[in-house]
Amino acid sequence: MSSISKTEIPLIEATNQNLEGYGYLIDNFDQCEIEIVTWPKQGWRNIEEGTGNEGGVTEGSFETWWDEGILYGRNNAVEHKSKYDGDGKYLLGYSSNPNDFKKKYSKENPEKIYIWHVNYHPDGGQLFFPNYNKPFISPLALPGDDIQPENFKAFYFDGTQGLYIHPNVWHEGVFPTQGKAIFKGKQGKVHARVSVDLLKEFKSYLYFKISI
């Protein structure tokens, strides 16, 4: 894997000002409304008013946890169709540079996070609301399919508020700074997903520090 590089992105505090364009902070899970995007028209004929946006919203917990330096996740708001694990568990990131992988990653609390995959949902927004007041981080980039690794920023949350992400915003879940975290999740039920494998497309990992 010597040809694989790494791109560091900045870690910044999550405020409504810093999150402008990406989303915003949420104080109450139940009062947060999810944006649903109308199905795009295929030609010059319009989608009939009141149609193409009736898929609704789905809710469920979003779990993330560290296990020997590897970060895993499971989204219980959507049907489990993960290509990485039969029970819907998928690999989100690493605590050290995967290029230097030997046999096992460290069991110590992570100082950095390396990720290899990002995605967005064109059908609707997404809410992550922490069940416990544990700090977490979310890497985000503004909409656009011509995304580049350096377009990302990692946002640090103190755990007292949730994160709402607008439709089409690039992300890869929410990451606890240590241990395990469980979030209340809410998003568009269609769950369309557009993804980028950073290793295949850019031959690079994204990474960021875990504390400001």
Side-chain angles (χ1 to χ4, degrees):
M1 298 181 67
S2 58
S3 61
I4 302 298
S5 63
K6 54 183 182 177
T7 302
E8 183 175 11
I9 59 174
L11 177 66
I12 61 176
E13 181 183 1
T15 65
N16 279 326
Q17 182 178 2
N18 289 339
L19 285 167
E20 186 173 357
Y22 303 89
Y24 45 83
L25 298 169
I26 293 294
D27 293 314
N28 187 298
F29 176 85
D30 294 324
Q31 293 180 3
C32 178
E33 295 187 3
I34 302 297
E35 300 164 276
I36 300 298
V37 178
T38 298
W39 195 269
K41 62 181 183 180
Q42 302 302 303
W44 60 270
R45 300 184 189 274
N46 293 325
I47 302 295
E48 289 189 19
E49 186 175 353
T51 70
N53 55 7
E54 300 169 278
V57 172
T58 182
E59 297 184 15
S61 63
F62 187 90
E63 308 169 54
T64 52
W65 66 95
W66 287 97
D67 185 2
E68 295 190 352
I70 300 178
L71 181 64
Y72 296 99
R74 181 183 292 112
N75 187 353
N76 296 302
V78 296
E79 184 178 355
H80 291 153
K81 292 182 179 179
S82 171
K83 65 181 179 180
Y84 310 114
D85 191 301
D87 69 354
K89 180 180 73 175
Y90 47 90
L91 191 156
L92 290 172
Y94 308 89
S95 64
S96 58
N97 187 350
N99 289 350
D100 302 328
F101 177 75
K102 302 297 183 184
K103 291 185 178 180
K104 282 190 176 181
Y105 288 92
S106 170
K107 294 184 180 181
E108 298 177 358
N109 289 330
E111 296 181 355
K112 298 176 182 178
I113 301 178
Y114 292 77
I115 65 173
W116 62 276
H117 174 273
V118 291
N119 69 95
Y120 70 81
H121 306 301
D123 62 292
Q126 187 169 12
L127 169 63
F128 301 96
F129 197 91
N131 280 0
Y132 310 102
N133 293 340
K134 291 183 176 181
F136 63 94
I137 297 171
S138 183
L140 305 174
L142 295 173
D145 279 4
D146 294 326
I147 191 69
Q148 297 293 319
E150 57 269 21
N151 296 148
F152 279 83
K153 296 178 182 178
F155 291 88
Y156 178 91
F157 300 79
D158 65 10
T160 62
Q161 295 172 292
L163 165 64
Y164 177 75
I165 301 172
H166 292 305
N168 301 310
V169 168
W170 291 98
H171 63 283
E172 182 61 340
V174 280
F175 306 157
T177 56
Q178 57 181 285
K180 180 177 181 177
I182 301 176
F183 299 80
K184 294 179 182 178
K186 185 160 43 174
Q187 65 187 99
K189 197 170 186 177
V190 173
H191 190 229
R193 187 169 64 189
V194 179
S195 298
V196 169
D197 184 321
L198 299 166
L199 298 183
K200 289 182 179 178
E201 190 162 332
F202 299 105
K203 298 189 184 304
S204 178
Y205 288 96
L206 285 184
Y207 80 98
F208 45 90
K209 297 176 181 177
I210 207 112
S211 60
I212 296 179

